[in-house]
Amino acid sequence: MSTAINFDADMIRKYDRHGPRYTSYPTAVQFNSEVNSDIYIEELTKSNQSNKSLSLYFHIPFCNSLCFYCACAKIITKKPERSIPYLERIYKELRHQSALISPERVVEQLHFGGGTPTFLSDEQFEEIFDNIRENFNLAPVEEREFSIEIDPRAVRASTIPVLRNLGFNRISLGVQDFDPKVQKAVNRIQSVEQTFDVIDSARAVGYKSVSIDLIYGLPCQTVDSFKTTLDLVMQKRPDRLSIYSYAHMPHKVKSQRTLNAADLPDAATKLAIFEMTVNYLQNAGYVYIGMDHFALPDDELTYAKQNGTLQRNFQGYSTHADSDLLGFGMTSIGQINDCFIQNQATEDAYFADIDTGGLAVTRGYRLNKDDCIRRDIIQSLMCQNRVSINTISNRYQINFFEYFSDEITELFPMVEDKLLTFNEKEISITRAGQLLLRNIAMVFDAYIEPTNDKTLKNKVIFSRTI
Ligand code: SF4
């Protein structure tokens, strides 16, 4: 099966609009305060009947310095001791959630994100794992997928082997861009050497996968400068690459106001960088997994895409289907059955809730039947690049063509533009349509204003396609 995609600049320009990246459906914009700790307890208790495996997410919000483009939930501080009271709350939360979970249930997947997880000391990582092991049943080593985001600027040489000993087998490194001019503009100075040292050390101690994150569309970037970054990255041939489009939304992200907007590449340059990157990575042998993600042909993500088991989740893509996700720490998101749950967004509110009741759920969303149907379609488009009409019709006992008559009408121009094909059995995305996955998925999103890309609501909330 060919995994190549076509870069059609005219089509990308034509369909460039504001829209979600669909790490969930419905997106977090729909979360509301009707979902609280009581609902979460109800859902957790109910979920034990299924005995599904578990995925744990830990949000470590601390960073030593501010990268101006960053829209993550973070706390900038130079004081390592800030993490001590935070971890105390994480341990309380672990105890509280584990008391509600059947001890039979096994943790197969675990992820530390941030912020900067490596803000923590080696001893703190060991302490967290003591707490995790006391409260949860970890899967046998060969069945685990334990991953962590690493900031090469903020990691001690000892930490990489310590994390490996604790069972981590995947790391993802924030790089964004190696060009000194770009690094200065975004306030993230990171040398090639310190990045390569982390990769070498991870490989030396047996991590299964190294992933690198880059961002295009940052200030001062050009096609040539970004190509130089790719040339450098290729010296280490990471197993996976995430290439994100920078979303300049200063009305939402305060630190982005610090960037000099005049330094941002214009739309044509940004598109040219993206085109160069897609072609570069394909020529280098990488497979396009979907929405910003590339992987080597022998990576598990590539196999999962080929055999239909790929999943889209809050971390991007995953090979682990059908786990319940438990979140720990401020802003963390969980998913139990057909319900999303999110923790308090600020450290103070998170501490106050954990101290009072052991949980810090502030909002979430319970999917209804229509949401579930649309979620399955969007997942299928994002991961398998096709939707089986029979599967959806049988699973939900609907007449697909009647149920989605408006959406089908909306798909016709995309068929004419050769982004997808459509018959009575399936919707299938073409090679040219793969870079416009989110536009195709948006047709099935009940919460997106269907009219056009000028819609103010979509504009304020979501980034552009490119
Ligand atoms: S990009 Fe990463 S290191 Fe930089 S401020 Fe954001 S979370 Fe912190």
Side-chain angles (χ1 to χ4, degrees), residues 66-72 74 76 185-186 246 248-250 252-260:
L66 176 67
C67 310
F68 295 151
Y69 56 81
C70 177
C72 298
K74 74 267 177 197
I76 307 298
V186 300
Y246 169 60
H248 191 57
M249 302 206 284
K252 273 185 74 185
V253 185
K254 207 170 146 201
S255 63
Q256 292 183 354
R257 292 175 210 158
T258 321
L259 294 173
N260 183 359

Side-chain angles (χ1 to χ4, degrees), residues 24-169:
S24 70
Y25 181 82
T27 65
V29 176
Q30 303 308 322
F31 290 7
N32 59 63
S33 55
E34 280 166 29
V35 174
N36 53 27
S37 295
D38 291 342
I39 302 275
Y40 185 40
I41 292 170
E42 196 185 298
E43 290 289 340
L44 272 181
T45 312
K46 209 166 61 184
S47 76
N48 286 326
Q49 291 160 9
S50 74
N51 222 15
K52 274 188 199 170
S53 63
L54 297 172
S55 178
L56 310 184
Y57 172 76
F58 294 86
H59 190 79
I60 309 297
F62 307 105
C63 301
N64 285 318
S65 62
L66 176 67
C67 310
F68 295 151
Y69 56 81
C70 177
C72 298
K74 74 267 177 197
I75 295 169
I76 307 298
T77 176
K78 298 256 186 243
K79 296 181 180 159
E81 64 274 19
R82 278 290 296 271
S83 58
I84 296 169
Y86 187 82
L87 289 183
E88 279 166 14
R89 273 41 177 234
I90 293 263
Y91 302 151
K92 274 191 189 171
E93 201 182 8
L94 266 170
R95 288 196 290 277
H96 206 90
Q97 294 204 41
S98 82
L100 297 162
I101 287 282
S102 153
E104 319 284 286
R105 299 181 70 182
V106 168
V107 176
E108 285 184 352
Q109 205 175 25
L110 181 148
H111 183 79
F112 274 65
T116 306
T118 44
F119 183 89
L120 303 178
S121 67
D122 296 350
E123 294 71 31
Q124 284 176 315
F125 276 117
E126 279 164 353
E127 187 185 87
I128 296 178
F129 263 73
D130 287 345
N131 277 273
I132 295 173
R133 278 189 294 256
E134 269 168 33
N135 289 288
F136 285 95
N137 182 10
L138 299 185
V141 174
E142 61 284 359
E143 288 165 30
R144 295 178 190 173
E145 185 181 298
F146 288 4
S147 55
I148 183 163
E149 294 163 19
I150 302 270
D151 182 343
R153 301 169 305 160
V155 62
R156 295 155 300 276
S158 58
T159 303
I160 300 297
V162 164
L163 294 175
R164 183 74 194 100
N165 282 338
L166 290 172
F168 285 94
N169 48 19

Side-chain angles (χ1 to χ4, degrees), residues 134-236:
E134 269 168 33
N135 289 288
F136 285 95
N137 182 10
L138 299 185
V141 174
E142 61 284 359
E143 288 165 30
R144 295 178 190 173
E145 185 181 298
F146 288 4
S147 55
I148 183 163
E149 294 163 19
I150 302 270
D151 182 343
R153 301 169 305 160
V155 62
R156 295 155 300 276
S158 58
T159 303
I160 300 297
V162 164
L163 294 175
R164 183 74 194 100
N165 282 338
L166 290 172
F168 285 94
N169 48 19
R170 298 184 174 280
I171 55 167
S172 89
L173 273 68
V175 171
Q176 326 315 350
D177 194 307
F178 277 132
D179 187 294
K181 211 168 152 193
V182 177
Q183 292 192 353
K184 185 161 183 263
V186 300
N187 195 39
R188 186 187 173 105
I189 309 295
Q190 174 175 332
S191 74
V192 175
E193 291 68 30
Q194 65 191 157
T195 308
F196 283 8
D197 283 351
V198 175
I199 296 173
D200 291 343
S201 134
R203 287 185 166 149
V205 295
Y207 282 80
K208 207 153 107 184
S209 166
V210 172
S211 177
I212 283 189
D213 293 350
L214 300 176
I215 301 180
Y216 71 95
L218 290 175
C220 305
Q221 272 177 349
T222 64
V223 174
D224 286 346
S225 75
F226 204 65
K227 183 175 173 301
T228 304
T229 289
L230 289 173
D231 287 341
L232 287 163
V233 167
M234 280 307 119
Q235 288 182 26
K236 292 294 166 192

Side-chain angles (χ1 to χ4, degrees), residues 5-35:
I5 50 172
N6 284 358
F7 192 97
D8 184 335
D10 289 339
M11 277 306 141
I12 291 171
R13 231 175 269 121
K14 177 173 173 181
Y15 284 91
D16 183 20
R17 62 173 289 194
H18 296 265
R21 299 176 63 253
Y22 292 117
T23 51
S24 70
Y25 181 82
T27 65
V29 176
Q30 303 308 322
F31 290 7
N32 59 63
S33 55
E34 280 166 29
V35 174

